[in-house]
Amino acid sequence: MRKVYVVGAASTRYGKFDSSARELVVDACAAALDEAGVEPKAVGGHFIGNAFSVAEKQGHLGPLVNTTLGMPEAPSYTIETACASGSSAFREAFVNVAGGFADVMLASGVERVSQLDTITATSFFAYGSDFTFEGANGCSFPGLYATMARSYFQKYGATEEDLAHIAVKNHENGALNPKAHLQKRIKVEDVLKSMVVASPLKLYDACPFSDGAAALVLASEDVAKRLGDSRVEILGSGRAGTIATLQDRPDLTMIPSTRLAADQAFKMAKIERKDVDLSEVHDCFTIAEAVALEDLGYVKRGEGAKAAREGLTARDGKLPVNPSGGLKSKGHPVGATGIGQIVEAYEQLLGRSGPRQVPDAEVALTHNIGATGGSCGVHLLGV
Amino acid sequence: MAEAQTQERLTLKAQKDALRDGRIMGLECGACGERHFTPVVRCSKGHDALRVKEYAKEGRVVSYTIQVVAPEAFLNEVPFAWVVVDLDGGGPRVSGWVPFIAKPDELAIGQRVKFTPSYKPGMVFEKV
């Protein structure tokens, strides 16, 4: 297996835009290629993470995007693993370079959902779960995580206030991120007083529906060295699944695919949990970050919910989590999210993150979940 | 040659039709006893000896949420409780909804509930 590097990274701002998905992703790809100093003709293939382009009455995004970028001959693939589509696209681009099938690959992600009304958008998100047994049985997508949260509270005695601290911490970081969807600080009381979405989760426990795109250029060692110093090595890549339907799982307080994917990534990277300087973790809801910290093996079972409250996961804490603001504050453009996490890792590792920089970061982890964990991608990057 | 199959299949349509008649049908592994409601063709241990089985209609709430924003078919039903239920006699675990529950304290983990056939979408449960 060859060494693979990220040599260029870019993202649009996350938010609500009039541009279509194809325009958003072209902007991100063009900026990433430009930053890498790679000509489009040199790209050996393009994986695009996207879940809902049919909501814009468009499938088969790849050829449209590649043609616009001036690389119509490059093969393209749209990858859909719900909210994990971005990390899945990245994984496949990595595999192509590592396996010697290409020297340069493009991995991108995009979503545009702001044209949908709330009810339609809610249904689209629910399609990512087992809709026959969950959505068509009355459960919204937030409802699934809410059901996990209530189970978690029962088992470990955690509280809504514990989770509120996760939202506050991520907004604290997102307020410093010019690309973030919700660039504002919030207080614990704001979270607790916000509208209930699916008890015990409230509006401020949930990430927003965002539009946005992000892109990464991956290259082999030879190409990366020719391109200069703006490179970050992909140290480890893990992908796993778990039982698709929440009700079929014996324990509702964990997402086993996270542990499996993380173990693969750490094994490949030959490093330990303690070697990680910052983590971008899939916090579609506050409870998801709490559970992820445990599933990733950072803290013991039952300790994830209080990590933010105790300052452990603050930007200047011992275990910085979501310095970008996370899905919660930076936003969640579904197919772009996993790519955007790696854009953040790239910028942090190169010391380009301005006021939200984690000092002297050398190793970063990204963790991206599809639905309630039916898909999970974990990557480790380093300089 | 493969051994003679004792495997049985359960289509989503047959399962839904049974629910309309008030019966909860699922699959049980003839080799290890593992029970499933969402249909599978192998149990989690890889056995292919699944048999169609009718399960109990009553059980206990494992966890729940109150839905105020729900998928389209449920727009006129909110608020209600969405529940995960362990059916009596050793499972399986199913989910459904309890109408007219507006607040979390109107339900509790451990509450006994009963499946009630309905013309409404999904599996309706009521408190016992």
Side-chain angles (χ1 to χ4, degrees):
Chain A
M1 200 165 76
R2 303 198 295 175
K3 283 189 173 191
V4 187
Y5 293 80
V6 178
V7 293
S11 124
T12 66
R13 194 185 159 178
Y14 291 178
K16 295 188 186 303
F17 303 114
D18 291 333
S19 321
S20 63
R22 68 196 276 181
E23 293 173 291
L24 290 168
V25 72
V26 163
D27 284 350
C29 289
L33 287 166
D34 195 39
E35 202 241 310
V38 166
E39 284 299 314
K41 294 284 184 204
V43 175
H46 185 187
F47 285 89
I48 305 179
N50 177 264
F52 304 135
S53 81
V54 289
E56 283 191 314
K57 298 184 169 57
Q58 181 65 61
H60 206 186
L61 268 180
L64 305 177
V65 176
N66 282 5
T67 302
T68 313
L69 288 169
M71 43 183 251
E73 296 88 2
S76 59
Y77 316 80
T78 306
I79 299 249
E80 191 269 307
T81 60
C83 312
S85 300
S87 59
S88 300
F90 181 74
R91 157 77 167 207
E92 297 311 314
F94 164 75
V95 166
N96 266 263
V97 180
F101 288 92
D103 290 329
V104 179
M105 290 291 291
L106 192 55
S108 69
V110 62
E111 216 64 62
R112 178 156 183 264
V113 289
S114 66
Q115 78 281 14
L116 304 174
D117 62 82
T118 304
I119 299 298
T120 309
T122 303
S123 289
F124 265 88
F125 274 68
Y127 296 158
S129 61
D130 181 345
F131 195 78
T132 302
F133 288 92
E134 294 169 337
N137 205 10
C139 200
S140 66
F141 189 64
L144 295 169
Y145 275 92
T147 302
M148 293 174 68
R150 191 176 307 283
S151 221
Y152 186 97
F153 288 180
Q154 162 96 355
K155 188 166 180 182
Y156 297 116
T159 64
E160 293 182 39
E161 200 171 318
D162 290 334
L163 296 187
H165 282 271
I166 295 172
V168 169
K169 182 261 297 175
N170 289 348
H171 274 265
E172 185 70 31
N173 293 339
L176 301 174
N177 186 348
K179 296 281 175 72
H181 185 165
L182 306 173
Q183 295 172 34
K184 63 169 183 181
R185 291 187 171 82
I186 57 169
K187 299 192 181 101
V188 168
E189 304 85 78
D190 298 328
V191 184
L192 295 176
K193 280 186 204 154
S194 64
M195 185 186 82
V196 176
V197 173
S199 157
L201 299 180
K202 297 159 294 295
L203 187 63
Y204 280 20
D205 285 298
C207 67
F209 294 131
S210 310
D211 301 336
L216 298 160
V217 183
L218 292 79
S220 62
E221 190 167 22
D222 288 352
V223 174
K225 283 188 172 159
R226 274 210 307 276
L227 291 169
D229 293 332
S230 295
R231 60 174 182 268
V232 165
E233 187 180 348
I234 302 164
L235 304 173
S237 171
R239 276 276 291 136
T242 198
I243 296 170
T245 320
L246 193 66
Q247 71 196 37
D248 288 344
R249 300 184 196 161
D251 190 330
L252 305 182
T253 65
M254 60 174 73
I255 293 181
S257 52
T258 294
R259 175 56 63 88
L260 295 172
D263 284 348
Q264 290 171 25
F266 278 102
K267 191 178 171 198
M268 188 186 293
K270 297 189 180 75
I271 58 171
E272 307 289 326
R273 265 71 174 175
K274 64 174 169 49
D275 299 326
V276 176
D277 297 310
L278 69 102
S279 302
E280 284 287 306
V281 160
H282 196 92
D283 59 328
C284 49
F285 300 94
T286 49
I287 182 67
E289 179 170 313
V291 169
L293 298 183
E294 299 169 19
D295 292 333
L296 286 167
Y298 285 146
V299 300
K300 290 194 187 111
R301 293 282 168 208
E303 291 182 358
K306 57 186 179 192
R309 190 172 198 159
E310 292 174 348
L312 179 70
T313 49
R315 223 169 44 252
D316 58 357
K318 213 175 147 201
L319 181 71
V321 171
N322 286 326
S324 71
L327 283 63
K328 178 70 201 75
S329 167
K330 184 187 179 192
H332 183 25
V334 180
T337 293
I339 298 286
Q341 291 176 321
I342 297 167
V343 173
E344 176 72 11
Y346 177 86
E347 290 175 349
Q348 287 279 354
L349 294 172
L350 294 177
R352 298 177 182 173
S353 298
R356 66 179 195 286
Q357 180 69 45
V358 174
D360 307 317
E362 291 179 353
V363 175
L365 176 143
T366 62
H367 162 258
N368 189 204
I369 287 271
T372 50
S375 290
C376 180
V378 172
H379 287 93
L380 285 161
L381 301 107
V383 285
Chain B
M1 284 289 285
E3 287 175 35
Q5 297 285 307
T6 54
Q7 179 92 331
E8 292 178 9
R9 295 286 179 106
L10 177 63
T11 65
L12 295 175
K13 181 173 186 309
Q15 191 176 47
K16 204 169 180 177
D17 289 347
L19 288 173
R20 296 251 179 259
D21 295 338
R23 290 176 297 133
I24 300 178
M25 306 301 290
L27 292 156
E28 185 179 62
C29 179
C32 69
E34 189 177 274
R35 291 178 165 192
H36 290 265
F37 179 63
T38 55
V40 292
V41 296
R42 295 246 181 183
C43 80
S44 72
K45 296 180 188 72
H47 302 132
D48 60 349
L50 293 152
R51 291 180 198 136
V52 175
K53 185 174 169 74
E54 181 171 353
Y55 291 115
K57 295 177 187 60
E58 286 191 28
R60 228 172 253 286
V61 172
V62 176
S63 188
Y64 65 97
T65 180
I66 308 298
Q67 295 280 263
V68 289
V69 182
E72 279 155 304
F74 294 84
L75 287 181
N76 296 322
E77 312 297 344
V78 291
F80 61 85
W82 188 76
V83 291
V84 176
V85 177
D86 273 344
L87 296 176
D88 289 347
R93 192 167 273 193
V94 300
S95 69
W97 59 289
V98 186
F100 310 121
I101 304 264
K103 297 200 179 91
D105 59 5
E106 293 167 17
L107 200 63
I109 290 176
Q111 167 74 48
R112 291 199 57 77
V113 291
K114 182 180 181 16
F115 169 62
T116 314
S118 165
Y119 63 91
K120 299 275 191 184
M123 286 175 71
V124 177
F125 283 86
E126 57 187 39
K127 290 204 250 183
V128 176

